[in-house]
Amino acid sequence: MLQTMLPAPKIDAFLPPRRILMGPGPSDVHPQVLAAQARPTVGHLDPLFIGMMDELKQLLQYAFQTKNDMTLAVSAPGSAGMETCFVNLLEPGDTVVVCRNGVFGERMRQNVERCGATAITVDNVWGEPVDPTAVEAALKANPQAKYLAFVHAETSTGALSDAKTLCALAQQYDCLSIVDAVTSLGGVELRVDDWGIDAIYSGSQKCLSCVPGLSPVSFSPKAVERIKARTRPVQSWFLDQSLVMSYWSGGAKRSYHHTAPVNALYALHESLRLLAGEGLEQSWQRHKQMHELLKQGLTNLGLEFVVAEPYRLPQLNSVYIPQGVDDAAVRKQLLAQYNLEIGAGLGELAGKTWRIGLMGYAARRENIALCIKALEDILA
Ligand SMILES: *Cc1c(COP(=O)(O)O)cnc(C)c1O
C-alpha cells in the first residue's frame, strides 16, 4: 500500500509587530516579563522551580492582600478562574445571588446554572455599579442563598462596584462572597482579607502587565471548609482545588497533577515582583493619575464617558462613539497607522462605545499622549 503524506507547509516565523495595547486586555506586557518568559524551561517538579512557586504564592498573597493559604494561579485564563470558584464551591441545589451589570455578571450566572445551582439575579443598568440596596433586598428575600457573586470591575462597561460593602452584606446574610477581580487586581484598591472576600479570581493579562493565560485565585478558610465538606466531588477534574493543592502546597512532597505552564509562571513571577517593587498602593495611584490625564484628553476631544465619575474605573475608560463616526474604521486606522489597539463596545454597548484600557504597563504617559493625538488626527 502506498502511503501518502501531506506536504510540509512552508510558513515563515511569526513576527508580531509591537502594538500598544490599550483595550480591555490583553494589555501591554512589561519587557522584563517577556524576557522572563524566554528563560530556559525547567521541570515543573524541579526543586528550583518549586522554590519559585513558593515565592509566587507569597507575591499573589501580597497582590490580593490576603493570608489565605489556598492562593495560587490556575493554569488557564480568567474564565477558568471564574469556573474554578463556581465548580469548587457550588453543589446542585445551592442558591446564589448573582449581580449583573455587564457581560461578566451574566457569565457568572451561566456558571451557577451549569453547576446545577439556582441563580437569583440582581440586575443593574449597564454602566452603573451593582446597587447594594437591591442586593440586600435579594439576600433578605432569599434566606436560603449560600453565596453572593459579583464583578468588582466590569470590563464591559468600565464600572467599579463597592466590593467592601457587598462583601459585608454577604457576611451579614450568612453568605460566602465570590468576586471577579480580573480587571481590578493591581489597578484599583482591593483587600481580600480586610473586606472578607471568600473566593476571588483574576487574570494575568489585565493590570498585572503579564502575558495572558493564567488566573490567580484565592479562597478564604471558610471557603476551603466549604470545599472540604462537599457531598460530591467537583465535576471538573482539572479545576478541582483539592487535587490542585497537592501540587501547589505540597512543599518538597509536591506531586504531579498537570504540567504547570512553566514559562508562563516565570512571567507571572516577574510581573508580580514588579508590582511588589512599585508597591500595590503606588500602582493603584498610578492607574488613577493616568486615568485623570486620559480623561482630560478625551474630554477635550468632546468624548463623553459612559460611567458616572464616582464609579469610573481608571483602568477601563468607556466613551461613547461620536455621532456619524465609523467605529470599526477608526479602530482599524488606529491599529494600522499608530500600532494602537483600543477595545470595541461589548454586548449591549457594541457599536456604541470604545473601551480604552490603561492597564498595568500600558498605563503610561507616552501611551496616553499617543492615544489622544491619534484620536484627534483621525476624528478631525
Ligand atoms: C477579561 C475578563 C474575564 C475573562 O478573562 P479571560 O482571561 O479572557 O478568560 C472575566 N471577567 C472580567 C471582568 C474580565 O475583564
Side-chain angles (χ1 to χ4, degrees), residues 2-260:
L2 201 63
Q3 302 226 8
T4 60
M5 287 284 288
L6 285 177
K10 289 196 170 48
I11 293 175
D12 292 335
F14 178 60
L15 301 173
R18 191 167 290 280
R19 304 275 202 217
I20 293 142
L21 301 177
M22 294 178 73
S27 57
D28 278 352
V29 176
H30 194 289
Q32 262 176 256
V33 173
L34 284 179
Q37 197 175 21
R39 289 177 192 147
T41 304
V42 297
H44 71 131
L45 294 170
D46 186 308
L48 291 176
F49 186 69
I50 288 171
M52 192 221 58
M53 297 277 278
D54 290 337
E55 290 176 356
L56 193 46
K57 181 168 159 182
Q58 271 182 53
L59 289 162
L60 285 172
Q61 287 172 326
Y62 170 71
F64 277 129
Q65 289 293 292
T66 185
K67 296 200 172 81
N68 288 343
D69 185 51
M70 199 185 269
T71 300
L72 55 103
V74 175
S75 304
S79 304
M82 181 187 285
E83 193 139 349
T84 296
C85 289
F86 287 99
V87 298
N88 280 278
L89 287 169
L90 273 48
E91 293 199 68
D94 286 348
T95 299
V96 185
V97 173
V98 182
C99 308
R100 283 191 303 191
N101 60 338
V103 164
F104 295 101
E106 164 56 19
R107 288 198 185 170
M108 284 181 141
R109 187 196 64 78
Q110 291 175 17
N111 268 275
V112 168
E113 306 236 307
R114 285 181 187 226
C115 291
T118 304
I120 307 287
T121 52
V122 175
D123 285 301
N124 270 101
V125 174
W126 283 41
E128 286 181 10
V130 172
D131 174 13
T133 312
V135 169
E136 179 157 24
L139 290 169
K140 205 174 263 175
N142 296 278
Q144 79 284 16
K146 284 186 166 174
Y147 301 96
L148 170 67
F150 67 90
V151 178
H152 187 205
E154 239 313 338
T155 324
S156 60
T157 67
L160 176 68
S161 288
D162 182 352
K164 187 182 178 183
T165 298
L166 293 170
C167 290
L169 278 175
Q171 281 172 2
Q172 191 185 329
Y173 288 86
D174 226 13
C175 285
L176 298 193
S177 50
I178 301 176
V179 180
D180 179 320
V182 176
T183 283
S184 59
L185 185 67
V188 286
E189 184 180 15
L190 171 63
R191 302 176 188 275
V192 168
D193 286 359
D194 284 354
W195 295 352
I197 294 172
D198 292 296
I200 188 163
Y201 58 91
S202 189
S204 49
Q205 81 279 26
K206 310 245 168 148
C207 294
L208 298 182
S209 318
C210 186
V211 295
L214 291 170
S215 178
V217 297
S218 185
F219 293 89
S220 73
K222 272 193 282 181
V224 173
E225 252 172 61
R226 204 57 85 74
I227 294 171
K228 284 188 177 151
R230 288 181 65 92
T231 57
R232 61 184 86 199
V234 172
Q235 68 263 34
S236 164
W237 180 88
F238 183 66
L239 299 177
D240 183 341
Q241 290 309 283
S242 57
L243 302 177
V244 173
M245 281 311 277
S246 66
Y247 177 63
W248 270 84
S249 277
K253 295 197 306 289
R254 249 168 237 255
S255 60
Y256 169 68
H257 176 261
H258 65 276
T259 306

